[in-house]
Amino acid sequence: MPTAFGAPGWVVTDSTLRAVDAAGFRYASDCRGTSPFLPEGMRTPQLPTTLPTLEEIVRAGGTMADLWTNLEAEVGKRTYSCYCAHAEVEGMRFPEFLPRFLDRVQGMVTVGPLGDALADQAELPVHRVAHTLIPGRFDSVASQVTA
């Protein structure tokens, strides 16, 4: 029985969030954001993707050097980081990327199953979810609204 859900392309609606809630998942990763949270009116924690994906940096015209600089800077300033690897990008097109990335961030963060991030959370803040545009993506994505 699955314990988590992640919306493809970070595209969700209120109906999707309610369905995830009704399914009883331990957590979901349907959003982009900065830290674990509960969506308004929901009880299923969201563990959002916090880091840009390789594909987003490439689409935005970045180089591999830009990618490493950006990812290391982002990981270094957070207590929670989540990177989303895509099988068709990191697995097939750039298979050397993920092992290199994991080696580079090893001393900066704890690498492990996403659900482990819930152990560090006593009480999650509640945030609204809205669709926003992110550099390097063609469409808007579900995002944690913190303000």
Side-chain angles (χ1 to χ4, degrees):
M1 179 68 100
T3 61
F5 178 78
W10 302 282
V11 177
V12 295
T13 63
D14 286 341
S15 296
T16 308
L17 294 173
R18 283 192 298 277
V20 168
D21 248 14
F25 290 110
R26 181 172 168 243
Y27 68 91
S29 188
D30 302 319
C31 302
R32 302 298 287 268
T34 58
S35 60
F37 71 102
L38 285 173
E40 284 182 341
M42 306 296 165
R43 63 181 181 273
T44 304
Q46 283 287 330
L47 299 179
T49 299
T50 62
L51 301 171
T53 66
L54 173 57
E55 133 186 67
E56 289 163 359
I57 289 175
V58 169
R59 279 190 190 143
T63 65
M64 274 296 186
D66 296 331
L67 171 73
W68 293 121
T69 300
N70 188 311
L71 290 176
E72 287 174 343
E74 289 297 315
V75 166
K77 70 181 181 185
R78 301 176 186 276
T79 56
Y80 164 82
S81 294
C82 177
Y83 180 78
C84 179
H86 291 94
E88 69 276 13
V89 178
E90 288 86 349
M92 296 172 66
R93 186 142 185 235
F94 299 100
E96 73 289 346
F97 171 78
L98 195 56
R100 262 185 81 197
F101 174 64
L102 292 172
D103 284 345
R104 286 182 83 138
V105 300
Q106 186 110 22
M108 301 169 77
V109 296
T110 301
V111 176
L114 184 56
D116 288 358
L118 285 175
D120 297 335
Q121 306 298 319
E123 191 170 314
L124 294 173
V126 176
H127 292 283
R128 193 167 56 82
V129 173
H131 280 80
T132 60
L133 292 174
I134 291 180
R137 296 214 63 83
F138 297 118
D139 296 317
S140 63
V141 297
S143 298
Q144 173 185 18
V145 178
T146 57

